Every structure is written in structure tokens, then in C-alpha cells.
């Protein structure tokens, strides 16, 4: 039995992120279909963004749809919904409330903590000396008074290090 689409999210690059009932998240590229008559209206991003779940698959308001087998078999595996993000191997607190994190998959990313500092839970981190005491704890980062960062938040909302 094929997995069934349960959630769909359009992306700006004319791909869609599809969650299946087996927990997989897959990326389906719609660009190759846009020159076919049934899909031409989807070149308008507003129309493209009307994608929704319909039965076992997906469809758009204009009636264009993708058959369930094609949607699953021609999509690219992204991750499973329950996948544990890469673990941090090294962390360095930078001067501007950013964290440079090396993950066990070899990626080096920058996580900007400034948006978190407004929350009461992170108020102690406004002290720059305390902010620099960050350490690795299992699959995430934490400070001595219990402040920590959700592992998915840390990995998914940090930016790949190119030059800092």
C-alpha cells in the first residue's frame, strides 16, 4: 500500500513539501509540469499556492492534480517527521549573540540568538559573559541555569557558515 499525502506546503521555487502518513517528508518538483496545459495556470504563484490535499493525493483550485503514485515515486526524500537532527560537536559564542555550531554531519552553521533574548526564559543570556558559557548537552546546547535550545530549532533555523 502506497503512503498517502496528509499535508502539503507550497514553496516559492515551484516545489511542494509533502508529508505522507508514513512520517516521510518529501519534495516534489512541479516545474517540469508547468508547460503542460493542465498546469500552465500554476505559473502564477498565487494559483500555485492553492495546492491542497485531495483524497489520496493533492490538487489545485484550477483542478490540476498529481496522481498518488507519481507524487510519491517522483518526489525526493527530505527527511522523516521523527528524524533526530544532527548533533552539535562544537559551539562557539560570538560577540553579537550568535552561536557558531559545528554539527556531527560536518556542517558549520550560525544560529542567531537575538530573537530569543526577548523571551523571559532567555533573559539571563543578555549578560554577554553568561551567554559565552554555552555548552553542548546531548543533542542541543544549554547554559548552567537551564536555558536551552530545541534541537530542531537549532539545526533548522541556523544558517550554513560561508564566511563570518
Amino acid at each position: 500500500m502506497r503512503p498517502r499525502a496528509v499535508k502539503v506546503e507550497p514553496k516559492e521555487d515551484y516545489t511542494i513539501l509533502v508529508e505522507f502518513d508514513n512520517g516521510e517528508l518529501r519534495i516534489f518538483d512541479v516545474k517540469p509540469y508547468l508547460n503542460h496545459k493542465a498546469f500552465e495556470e500554476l505559473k502564477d504563484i498565487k494559483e500555485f499556492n492553492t495546492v491542497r490535499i485531495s483524497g489520496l493525493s493533492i490538487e489545485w483550485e484550477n483542478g490540476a492534480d498529481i496522481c498518488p503514485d507519481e507524487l510519491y515515486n517522483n518526489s525526493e526524500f527530505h527527511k522523516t517527521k521523527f528524524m533526530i537532527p544532527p548533533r552539535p560537536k562544537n559551539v562557539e559564542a560570538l560577540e553579537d549573540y550568535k552561536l557558531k555550531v559545528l554539527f556531527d554531519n560536518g556542517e558549520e552553521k550560525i544560529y542567531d540568538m537575538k530573537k530569543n533574548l526577548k523571551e523571559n526564559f532567555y533573559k539571563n543570556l543578555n549578560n554577554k559573559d553568561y551567554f559565552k558559557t554555552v555548552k553542548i548537552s546531548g543533542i542541543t546546547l544549554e547554559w548552567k541555569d537551564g536555558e536551552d535550545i530545541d534541537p530542531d530549532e537549532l539545526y533548522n533555523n541556523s544558517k550554513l557558515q560561508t564566511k563570518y
Side-chain angles (χ1 to χ4, degrees):
M1 190 165 130
R2 86 175 80 72
R4 198 180 105 215
V6 294
K7 186 176 178 185
V8 62
E9 180 183 330
K11 300 295 184 181
E12 291 178 5
D13 63 351
Y14 292 97
T15 62
I16 51 176
L17 179 63
V18 184
E19 180 182 328
F20 291 90
D21 62 359
N22 65 357
E24 284 184 58
L25 298 174
R26 299 178 72 90
I27 303 285
F28 185 84
D29 189 355
V30 181
K31 290 187 290 296
Y33 298 79
L34 294 177
N35 289 324
H36 297 277
K37 187 160 180 68
F39 294 90
E40 283 181 341
E41 290 179 36
L42 302 181
K43 290 178 183 177
D44 176 348
I45 196 71
K46 288 180 184 176
E47 186 67 31
F48 180 77
N49 288 338
T50 67
V51 67
R52 62 182 179 251
I53 297 297
S54 176
L56 298 175
S57 196
I58 60 166
E59 74 175 356
W60 286 266
E61 281 184 3
N62 73 346
D65 65 355
I66 305 287
C67 89
D69 288 331
E70 187 159 352
L71 181 64
Y72 185 79
N73 294 331
N74 293 332
S75 59
E76 182 179 312
F77 177 80
H78 181 58
K79 67 178 185 175
T80 62
K81 187 176 182 181
F82 311 107
M83 187 178 258
I84 295 173
R87 292 176 180 254
K89 280 179 55 176
N90 188 38
V91 61
E92 178 185 347
L94 304 175
E95 289 299 318
D96 50 356
Y97 294 104
K98 292 182 181 178
L99 300 167
K100 183 165 66 169
V101 183
L102 174 64
F103 291 93
D104 63 1
N105 65 356
E107 291 180 318
E108 190 170 62
K109 292 184 152 194
I110 301 293
Y111 182 80
D112 190 343
M113 282 293 297
K114 284 188 242 94
K115 67 181 185 290
N116 304 56
L117 297 178
K118 297 174 189 159
E119 297 177 33
N120 196 41
F121 180 73
Y122 293 109
K123 67 182 177 194
N124 292 341
L125 301 183
N126 284 296
N127 176 315
K128 289 187 178 194
D129 290 329
Y130 182 71
F131 179 77
K132 292 177 183 178
T133 66
V134 64
K135 64 180 183 190
I136 295 171
S137 177
I139 61 172
T140 194
L141 308 177
E142 73 176 7
W143 288 261
K144 68 178 180 172
D145 289 340
E147 303 90 349
D148 63 359
I149 303 170
D150 175 78
D152 285 323
E153 166 69 18
L154 177 64
Y155 184 76
N156 294 328
N157 293 314
S158 56
K159 306 231 182 291
L160 272 174
Q161 163 98 14
T162 50
K163 187 176 180 184
Y164 192 79

